[in-house]
Amino acid sequence: MKNIKIINLNFDMRTKIIMLICIVIAICIIAYSFYTICIKLGRVEDIGEKNIEYYLSAKEYQITFDVTVNSNKNSNTYSVVEKANLLEEIYEYTINDKFQICINPSEIKIFKTNIDYEYITSNQNEYIHNNFISFSSIIKMVNKINEKALNGNIKRVEINENIIYKIEVEEEYIKKIKRIEIIMSKNDEEIQEIKMYDLDNKEMYFITIYNFVVKK
């Protein structure tokens, strides 16, 4: 008959306490890793990243940007703050902190800050809604392309660290514009720049966006 050896491991109280602490720490690390990977990241995916649809589906927003207008003779840059509520058709533009345009369905107000000048009109035809200075024009253009109400196409291209959305139309929607490029960062998918090209494919407007807040 073979001898069976029984090994009895006896630990003193100090060793038991150290082992217990190590087990507790291991459980905490596993629990934190599970929370980070399965729960926290899951919530980010549920919210959705700031992709192009995040901006194009906006109903209310505020943007701060610089726009450079290129002509045959020179280029001029303007600082613009745009506030828009597409549901109520209310648009406000502040240009170079001095010149303001306020538009609602019943009237248009144009005035200069600190200068005794104000112009009010109810004639909507005096203002072109589909204009380069408003991001709402791009939203409306894309919607019309998707609805087949406007002949055009949209392409997504990745170049280096950028994602570029190229929007091209066969007929004018924004005045004198044939092609638009929306440049976004791959890292955070924030819109960085917008370029607009005229009917001869020359860059007519160059927009640098500093802050874009979607409110609704």
Side-chain angles (χ1 to χ4, degrees), residues 8 23 26 31 38-39 47 81 84 90 92 96 111 132-133 135 137 161-162 171 174 183 187 194 211 216:
N8 186 17
I23 292 171
C38 298
I39 298 178
I47 294 172
V81 177
I90 297 175
E92 296 181 7
N96 291 341
F111 57 92
F132 71 93
I133 205 173
F135 189 79
S137 298
E161 299 302 317
N162 293 326
E171 55 193 286
I174 298 175
I183 297 96
N187 295 328
I194 298 174
N211 189 33
K216 190 181 296 182

Side-chain angles (χ1 to χ4, degrees), residues 94-100 111-115:
T94 302
I95 302 171
N96 291 341
D97 293 324
K98 294 181 179 180
F99 187 69
Q100 289 185 306
F111 57 92
K112 292 183 179 180
T113 306
N114 299 325
I115 297 178

Side-chain angles (χ1 to χ4, degrees), residues 53-192:
E53 292 300 325
Y54 173 78
Y55 298 99
L56 293 177
S57 61
K59 302 302 180 185
E60 183 178 357
Y61 61 82
Q62 179 173 326
I63 314 177
T64 302
F65 60 92
D66 285 345
V67 55
T68 299
V69 181
N70 298 315
S71 64
N72 294 330
K73 296 182 179 180
N74 53 30
S75 296
N76 295 300
T77 300
Y78 306 93
S79 174
V80 182
V81 177
E82 177 191 6
K83 299 177 183 179
N85 186 325
L86 278 65
L87 295 175
E88 298 181 10
E89 295 186 347
I90 297 175
Y91 305 87
E92 296 181 7
Y93 307 94
T94 302
I95 302 171
N96 291 341
D97 293 324
K98 294 181 179 180
F99 187 69
Q100 289 185 306
I101 304 173
C102 299
I103 303 164
N104 61 53
S106 60
E107 65 179 12
I108 300 171
K109 292 183 179 180
I110 303 173
F111 57 92
K112 292 183 179 180
T113 306
N114 299 325
I115 297 178
D116 188 16
Y117 171 84
E118 184 172 336
Y119 176 71
I120 301 175
T121 178
S122 59
N123 186 358
Q124 294 288 339
N125 293 327
E126 291 188 15
Y127 176 80
I128 301 173
H129 282 285
N130 303 328
N131 68 90
F132 71 93
I133 205 173
S134 178
F135 189 79
S136 65
S137 298
I138 298 177
I139 293 176
K140 294 172 185 176
M141 174 186 283
V142 171
N143 288 339
K144 284 188 173 292
I145 292 174
N146 291 334
E147 294 166 0
K148 307 297 182 183
L150 181 66
N151 293 325
N153 60 77
I154 304 169
K155 294 180 181 179
R156 182 182 186 276
V157 179
E158 293 189 14
I159 299 177
N160 299 324
E161 299 302 317
N162 293 326
I163 300 171
I164 302 175
Y165 289 89
K166 298 184 177 182
I167 307 167
E168 189 164 354
V169 292
E170 296 178 11
E171 55 193 286
E172 278 188 67
Y173 184 76
I174 298 175
K175 189 176 181 181
K176 296 182 179 180
I177 296 300
K178 180 179 182 181
R179 180 164 57 94
I180 296 174
E181 291 183 356
I182 302 175
I183 297 96
M184 305 180 71
S185 168
K186 276 186 183 179
N187 295 328
D188 52 19
E189 294 200 47
E190 295 273 0
I191 296 181
Q192 297 178 327

